[in-house]
């Protein structure tokens, strides 16, 4: 029983359970959703380009949170 408790109290497990990391991932997903919905808002290349940029920024934010969990 004691050995099992030690496995769950490692430093990487504590880092992975920080709420800030999951808030970062959720924020990134929300930004991606805004970028996706903006693609269908208006038919012009300027809005399409801006929506792609927003989409990629959101993806980078979400991936950054995942890498924090993986401690890479």
């Amino acid at each position: 029983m004691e050995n099992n408790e030690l496995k769950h109290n490692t430093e990487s497990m504590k880092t992975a359970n920080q709420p800030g990391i999951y808030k970062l991932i959720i924020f990134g997903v929300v930004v991606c959703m805004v970028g996706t919905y903006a693609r269908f808002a208006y038919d012009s290349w300027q809005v399409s380009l801006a929506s792609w940029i927003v989409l990629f920024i959101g993806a980078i934010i979400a991936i950054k949170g995942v890498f924090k969990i993986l401690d890479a």
Side-chain angles (χ1 to χ4, degrees):
M1 188 79 147
E2 187 175 313
N3 191 19
N4 193 19
E5 290 176 6
L6 291 176
K7 289 181 184 178
H8 296 293
N9 289 330
T10 62
E11 189 64 35
S12 63
M13 193 67 119
K14 290 177 186 176
T15 303
N17 288 329
Q18 291 178 354
I21 294 174
Y22 294 100
K23 290 178 186 176
L24 184 67
I25 293 173
I26 290 171
F27 178 71
V29 169
V30 168
V31 171
C32 286
M33 290 173 57
V34 168
T36 302
Y37 290 132
R39 293 185 62 217
F40 300 105
Y42 186 71
D43 192 24
S44 73
W45 68 271
Q46 294 96 347
V47 175
S48 181
L49 179 64
S51 67
W52 274 108
I53 292 170
V54 170
L55 181 68
F56 282 121
I57 289 173
I60 290 170
I61 291 170
I63 290 170
K64 185 177 176 181
V66 170
F67 282 145
K68 280 186 177 184
I69 291 174
L70 295 175
D71 204 26

